[in-house]
């Protein structure tokens, strides 16, 4: 792209972001690079439960195509002809994992990605409405953002829709459609901020233009048709 075209592209991007009625943000991979903490929490839960499972980064990168921790555990268990865990055992294993995730975040935190804090502050200064649309749980959102943004983090967001609030997780559009319904806005009035192919598909199926901020586990996903693809949110709307 020529420099002149890049300047125009950047200006259009800034104007489009500034004119959106609402900005709807994903959490894992978008606000913070949390998936390595999730992966560690899964492995600690497996060990605590006496399972000889261990998800290395290559295995986890493949399993991340399955949205949702409980669904991810089930997908891994079903690699065997005779799965070993019942639904109740998967739910209990995921509860342990979620507790480990919260403990890991509380112990070491997981910093916001570059540009996220400024992006949220700019939106607030413009008087734009902010929402969250994520696959993870409310508990995990609170664990992450109460450290990263402070205990009053929820005051920033008008509505928060998590994975278990809707019938289907990403790439289904359910979380985004629920956010739109709660905000009373049309898709074209909003912009979604995502990091993964599943998240981009969910926002796109809901008709919402998406900004992609490439993350560690999804850098190679196909984001053709995204409004904007960036390495991170630094300077995107300054
Ligand atoms: C990412 C996910 C989640 C997390 C793990 O969510 O797919 O499943 O990997 O969290 P998003 P849970 O990018 O939509 O924020 O174990 O709570 O599912
Ligand atoms: Mg994500």
């Amino acid at each position: 792209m020529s420099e002149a075209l890049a300047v125009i592209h950047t200006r259009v991007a800034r104007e489009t972001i500034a004119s959106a009625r609402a900005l709807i943000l994903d959490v894992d991979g978008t606000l913070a690079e949390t998936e390595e903490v999730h992966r560690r929490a899964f492995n600690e839960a497996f060990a605590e439960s006496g399972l000889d499972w261990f998800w290395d980064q290559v295995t986890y990168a493949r399993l991340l195509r399955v949205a949702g921790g409980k669904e991810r555990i089930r997908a891994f268990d079903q690699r065997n002809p005779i799965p070993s865990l019942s639904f109740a055992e998967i739910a209990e294993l995921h509860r342990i994992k979620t507790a480990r995730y919260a403990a890991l975040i509380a112990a070491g935190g997981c910093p916001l990605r570059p540009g996220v804090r400024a992006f949220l502050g700019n939106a607030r200064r413009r008087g734009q409405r902010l929402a969250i649309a994520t696959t993870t749980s409310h508990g995990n959102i609170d664990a992450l953002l109460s450290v990263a943004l402070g205990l009053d983090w929820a005051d920033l967001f008008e509505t928060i829709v998590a994975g278990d609030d809707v019938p289907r997780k990403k790439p289904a559009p359910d979380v985004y459609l629920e956010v739109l319904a709660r905000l009373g806005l049309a898709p074209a009035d909003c912009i979604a901020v995502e990091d993964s192919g599943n998240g981009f598909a969910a926002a796109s199926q809901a008709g919402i233009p998406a900004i992609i901020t490439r993350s560690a586990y999804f850098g190679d996903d196909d984001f053709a048709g995204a409004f904007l693809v960036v390495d991170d949110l630094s300077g995107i709307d300054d």
Side-chain angles (χ1 to χ4, degrees), residues 209-225:
I211 293 173
I212 302 300
T213 173
R214 288 192 182 279
S215 65
Y217 272 106
F218 298 105
D220 297 332
D221 278 22
D222 177 19
F223 297 114

Side-chain angles (χ1 to χ4, degrees), residues 168-192:
R168 300 173 304 165
K169 291 183 170 73
K170 301 173 185 178
D174 298 29
V175 283
Y176 280 105
L177 294 174
E178 178 61 22
V179 166
L180 290 174
R182 292 185 187 184
L183 295 177
L185 291 176
D189 291 334
C190 304
I191 287 180

Side-chain angles (χ1 to χ4, degrees), residues 22-34:
L23 301 171
I24 308 171
L25 294 116
D26 166 52
V27 173
D28 293 306
T30 297
L31 295 184
E33 280 285 10
T34 54

Side-chain angles (χ1 to χ4, degrees), residues 17 31 41-42 44 62 73 83 129 168 171 195 200 226 234-235:
I17 293 167
L31 295 184
F42 278 112
E44 290 184 2
R62 175 170 52 77
I73 294 169
R129 300 161 76 179
R168 300 173 304 165
D195 73 302
F200 175 48
S234 301

Side-chain angles (χ1 to χ4, degrees), residues 26-28 35 38 42 60 64 67-69 72 94 97 133-137 140 170 195:
D26 166 52
V27 173
D28 293 306
E35 291 300 351
H38 281 299
F42 278 112
Y60 195 58
L64 266 174
R72 206 163 293 151
H94 190 252
K97 176 265 174 181
T134 177
T135 303
T136 196
S137 61
N140 284 352
K170 301 173 185 178
D195 73 302

